[in-house]
């Protein structure tokens, strides 16, 4: 039985090598010293792996480090597995929202706030709120813009809710999926110090969308300049959260690929906000709420009404 | 097992008797089979249960009747009547009008299911159908608001009618949210109450928005 630990150690090494070829979610904090071996923790943990770790006689600090990454050990068909994604308290959610609205330069959102406890509560409900905020604000803004016109008949435009829902949920889930796949692929070529699990990327994207909720409410103001200033401002805030999160993950890579990745992230984010502004909010026809309309504009106004 | 070899039941000891369940432990509901009662009694019993829950929603006290004997008849009736009353709204050729019947139905039921799942995932102790029952019954104030809005719109659709409708809808929205929070808040872990209440707020806000923006043809 004395050679049992040696046998298990060798087997663990082989297993680790096998896993290295099969990219799985990896969570590593930047602060930890480099001598902790890089463990690949997939979402589906086999019970055998936990026994290996325990039998190796790892001491407490290693064990807590392992356990922190091995949190999600329930099989994925049980309810408890999904409860681990909702293991947040009210103050934690509020802290994360604050961190996304007031990004501290140089601090990584994931490291500072998520710390290997990504939650799905924030992304899901922030997206739901954003969907209804955009739809309701767009409706209100159109109502106020077209208010005085004689041929205008108010419609609730309920179709736009489903369009908003599809767009925002697709953005908040498919873009992180693509980004995660891309980072995993680059990870297999270039050994990065920092890499994120899929849920952490979803978390960052979800919380970074929070700033658009007050922005959408303020977009009711029917002034083009105000709207564009608001959009640029919110894009800078949430874009900086994303950039500061993902720059450490790609900076060890080829310079051009790193810049292209970060540029694509910001571009997609900008496209989302520009698209929402253009589709849900009608353009204000006058740049100042003038009570009179010059006579030659009356016909153009009438033909533009739906 | 050697010691048991010589144990046997001799033939002159009778093995007989009566096995009866003591009468005291039978619940009074099972005294008679409900198959034999008149249909009117069956329907009236269910209707009375639904009516009692309506009263509990309108005057939310800390009673557990809503939670203990859940049923989904009340929510179904409320949902169908609300969806029916939201029909007949303005629908121009681009079909940009109000929500269709199916949309209202889906929003209410899917929304209630999502909120229930959310509260269970956050560690709530309420059961799935109890939560659905409470959320469905608390749509009652908003259904009343819809009825009032339609009556007000019959009288006219100017600014004054809009202000009346706004006040009624906001009051009923507050009532619904407070009623459902009163029933559901106790079953949540204490440091996550706000996380559970917020989706309920959003759910009733969306329903109120649909009611307020209803414009007749």
């Amino acid at each position: 039985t004395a050679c049992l630990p040696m046998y298990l150690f060798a087997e663990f090494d082989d297993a680790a090598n096998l896993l290295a070829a099969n990219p799985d979610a990896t969570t590593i904090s930047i602060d930890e010293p480099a001598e902790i071996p890089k463990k690949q923790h997939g979402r589906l943990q086999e019970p055998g792996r936990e026994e290996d770790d325990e039998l190796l006689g790892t001491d407490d600090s290693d064990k807590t480090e392992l356990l922190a990454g091995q949190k999600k050990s329930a099989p994925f068909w049980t309810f408890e597995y999904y409860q681990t994604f909702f293991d947040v308290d009210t103050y934690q959610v509020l802290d994360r929202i604050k961190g996304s609205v007031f990004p501290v330069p140089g601090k990584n959102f994931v490291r500072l706030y998520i710390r290997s406890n990504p939650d799905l509560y924030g992304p899901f409900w922030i997206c739901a709120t954003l969907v209804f905020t955009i739809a309701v604000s767009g409706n209100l803004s159109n109502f106020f813009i077209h208010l005085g016109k004689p041929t205008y008949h108010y419609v609730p435009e309920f179709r736009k809710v489903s369009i908003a829902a599809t767009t925002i949920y697709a953005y908040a889930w498919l873009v992180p999926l693509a980004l995660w796949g891309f980072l995993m692929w680059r990870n297999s070529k270039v050994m990065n110090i920092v890499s994120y699990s899929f849920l952490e990327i979803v978390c960052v994207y979800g919380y970074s969308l929070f700033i658009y909720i007050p922005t959408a409410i303020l977009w009711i103001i029917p002034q083009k300049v105000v709207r564009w200033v608001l959009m640029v401002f919110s894009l800078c805030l949430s874009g900086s959260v994303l950039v500061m999160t993902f720059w450490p993950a790609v900076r060890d890579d080829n310079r051009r690929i790193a810049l292209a990745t970060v540029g694509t992230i910001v571009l997609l984010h900008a496209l989302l906000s520009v698209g929402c502004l253009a589709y849900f909010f009608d353009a204000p026809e006058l740049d100042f709420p003038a009570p009179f309309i010059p006579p030659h504009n009356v016909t153009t106004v009438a033909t533009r009404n739906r | 097992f050697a010691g048991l070899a010589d144990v046997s039941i001799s033939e002159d000891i009778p093995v007989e008797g009566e096995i009866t369940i003591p009468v005291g432990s039978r619940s009074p509901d099972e005294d008679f089979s409900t198959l034999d009662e008149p249909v009117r009694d069956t329907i009236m019993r269910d209707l009375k249960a639904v009516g009692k829950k309506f009263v509990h929603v309108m005057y939310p006290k800390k009673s557990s009747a809503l939670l203990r004997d859940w049923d989904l008849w009340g929510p179904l009736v409320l949902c169908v009547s609300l969806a029916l009353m939201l029909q007949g709204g303005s629908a121009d050729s681009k079909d940009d009008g109000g929500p269709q019947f199916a949309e209202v139905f889906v929003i209410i039921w899917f929304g209630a299911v999502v909120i229930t799942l959310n509260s269970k995932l956050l560690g709530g102790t309420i059961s799935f159908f109890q939560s659905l029952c409470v959320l469905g019954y608390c749509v009652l104030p908003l259904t009343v608001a819809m009825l009032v809005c339609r009556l007000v719109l019959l009288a006219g659709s100017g600014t004054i009618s809009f202000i009346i409708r706004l006040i009624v809808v906001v009051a009923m929205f507050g009532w619904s949210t407070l009623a459902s929070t009163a029933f559901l808040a106790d079953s949540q872990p204490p440091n996550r109450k706000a996380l559970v209440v917020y989706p309920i707020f959003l759910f009733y806000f969306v329903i109120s928005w649909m009611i307020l923006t209803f414009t007749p043809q």
Side-chain angles (χ1 to χ4, degrees):
Chain A
T1 50
C3 59
L4 189 62
M6 300 305 297
Y7 165 74
L8 284 169
F9 194 77
E11 194 159 40
F12 182 77
D13 253 353
D14 287 343
N17 287 338
L18 281 173
L19 266 186
N22 178 21
D24 258 344
T26 309
T27 308
I28 288 201
S29 172
I30 261 186
D31 285 332
E32 303 308 313
E35 74 255 10
I36 292 184
K38 185 171 175 173
K39 304 249 185 324
Q40 307 265 8
H41 293 300
R43 280 202 291 283
L44 305 173
Q45 277 289 342
E46 294 116 321
R49 186 147 314 284
E50 289 162 20
E51 286 166 2
D52 282 347
D53 293 337
E54 277 173 55
L55 283 168
L56 282 175
T58 50
D59 61 339
D60 273 348
S61 67
D62 277 350
K63 203 182 226 175
T64 46
E65 174 61 23
L66 294 172
L67 284 175
Q70 283 184 19
K71 228 164 46 92
K72 303 166 182 24
S73 57
F76 68 94
W77 56 83
T78 59
F79 194 69
E80 284 73 28
Y81 174 72
Y82 297 101
Q83 267 184 325
T84 58
F85 302 138
F86 283 78
D87 194 15
V88 278
D89 292 336
T90 308
Y91 76 92
Q92 283 176 310
V93 172
L94 290 176
D95 271 345
R96 293 175 185 193
I97 291 179
K98 233 179 350 186
S100 78
V101 176
F102 304 117
V104 179
K107 291 280 177 64
N108 189 334
F109 180 79
V110 173
R111 226 167 27 88
L112 203 53
Y113 292 101
I114 311 248
R115 277 192 239 228
S116 67
N117 182 21
D119 71 305
L120 285 181
Y121 178 89
F124 183 78
W125 288 109
I126 291 179
C127 287
T129 311
L130 186 60
V131 164
F132 288 113
T133 309
I134 284 189
V136 168
S137 301
N139 200 235
L140 272 180
S141 128
N142 292 350
F143 173 70
F144 287 129
I145 286 178
H146 299 299
L147 185 49
K149 303 194 182 118
T151 54
Y152 176 67
H153 183 63
Y154 170 76
V155 286
E157 291 177 320
F158 204 74
R159 289 293 158 284
K160 296 200 168 172
V161 171
S162 26
I163 297 175
T166 315
T167 314
I168 293 192
Y169 273 101
Y171 178 80
W173 290 84
L174 293 183
V175 171
L177 184 66
L179 186 59
W180 174 73
F182 176 75
L183 287 178
M184 282 299 120
W185 173 61
R186 293 311 299 174
N187 230 8
S188 66
K189 301 197 163 198
V190 176
M191 209 36 85
N192 280 324
I193 303 179
V194 176
S195 57
Y196 301 115
S197 70
F198 172 63
L199 284 170
E200 285 170 344
I201 300 183
V202 167
C203 226
V204 171
Y205 264 87
Y207 280 103
S208 75
L209 285 177
F210 178 80
I211 186 69
Y212 287 118
I213 295 177
T215 308
I217 298 178
L218 287 176
W219 273 344
I220 297 180
I221 302 174
Q223 305 286 347
K224 249 191 197 140
V225 173
V226 170
R227 286 182 177 177
W228 279 91
V229 163
L230 280 170
M231 169 153 71
V232 168
F233 182 66
S234 59
L235 182 63
C236 284
L237 275 182
S238 62
S240 68
V241 169
L242 290 177
V243 165
M244 283 195 290
T245 304
F246 289 109
W247 178 248
V250 291
R251 77 176 154 211
D252 297 324
D253 206 343
N254 183 352
R255 197 78 183 169
R256 271 193 237 158
I257 295 192
L259 286 176
T261 310
V262 172
T264 312
I265 292 176
V266 174
L267 184 68
L268 284 174
H269 215 62
L271 271 179
L272 177 77
S273 52
V274 169
C276 283
L277 180 61
Y279 184 72
F280 293 102
F281 296 81
D282 283 349
E285 287 151 17
L286 301 169
D287 275 317
F288 45 88
F292 68 94
I293 302 177
H296 71 275
N297 271 348
V298 168
T299 44
T300 44
V301 161
T303 49
R304 281 197 62 175
N305 269 340
R306 279 181 279 199
Chain B
F1 289 17
L4 292 176
D6 53 354
V7 172
S8 61
I9 299 177
S10 72
E11 287 178 9
D12 50 326
I13 300 180
V15 180
E16 60 184 30
E18 266 189 83
I19 301 178
T20 55
I21 303 169
V23 181
S25 72
R26 277 188 24 197
S27 68
D29 286 320
E30 287 156 6
D31 275 349
F32 54 92
S33 155
T34 57
L35 273 180
D36 292 336
E37 64 176 5
V39 171
R40 207 180 74 118
D41 284 356
T42 316
I43 295 181
M44 286 311 292
R45 186 173 48 236
D46 282 337
L47 278 182
K48 278 201 200 127
V50 168
K52 205 161 52 159
K53 292 205 190 69
F54 279 162
V55 170
H56 275 297
V57 169
M58 292 314 271
Y59 301 107
K61 293 190 292 274
K62 287 281 177 206
S63 91
S64 57
L66 208 61
L67 289 181
R68 209 180 38 229
D69 308 316
W70 61 267
D71 74 90
L72 293 179
W73 282 112
L76 182 67
V77 164
L78 288 173
C79 180
V80 167
S81 50
L82 184 61
L84 279 177
M85 283 196 276
L86 278 169
Q87 298 311 298
S90 64
D92 53 11
S93 60
K94 276 178 62 175
D95 217 18
D96 240 2
Q100 302 293 319
F101 182 92
E103 283 174 340
V104 177
F105 218 80
V106 162
I107 283 184
I108 291 183
W109 286 101
F110 186 65
V113 166
V114 165
I115 292 176
T116 307
L117 279 180
N118 176 66
S119 87
K120 286 189 76 70
L121 283 169
L122 281 169
T125 53
I126 200 170
S127 96
F128 183 77
F129 286 106
Q130 278 174 349
S131 173
L132 276 188
C133 170
V134 170
L135 287 169
Y137 269 102
C138 288
V139 173
L140 176 66
L142 286 170
T143 310
V144 169
M146 182 73 219
L147 196 58
V148 169
C149 281
R150 281 214 87 146
L151 292 175
V152 168
L153 278 171
L154 282 179
S157 52
T159 315
I160 301 203
S161 98
F162 175 72
I163 293 180
I164 298 177
R165 281 185 289 139
L166 180 67
I167 295 176
V168 167
V169 169
V170 166
M172 292 300 159
F173 160 65
W175 199 335
S176 280
T177 312
L178 285 174
S180 62
T181 312
F183 287 117
L184 289 178
D186 285 338
S187 60
Q188 306 305 324
N191 48 350
R192 297 180 183 183
K193 275 204 170 53
L195 296 184
V196 173
V197 169
Y198 171 71
I200 300 179
F201 169 87
L202 186 66
F203 175 63
Y204 289 123
F205 177 79
V206 170
I207 299 182
S208 316
W209 174 256
M210 286 197 293
I211 293 176
L212 188 59
T213 60
F214 174 78
T215 48
Q217 286 255 345

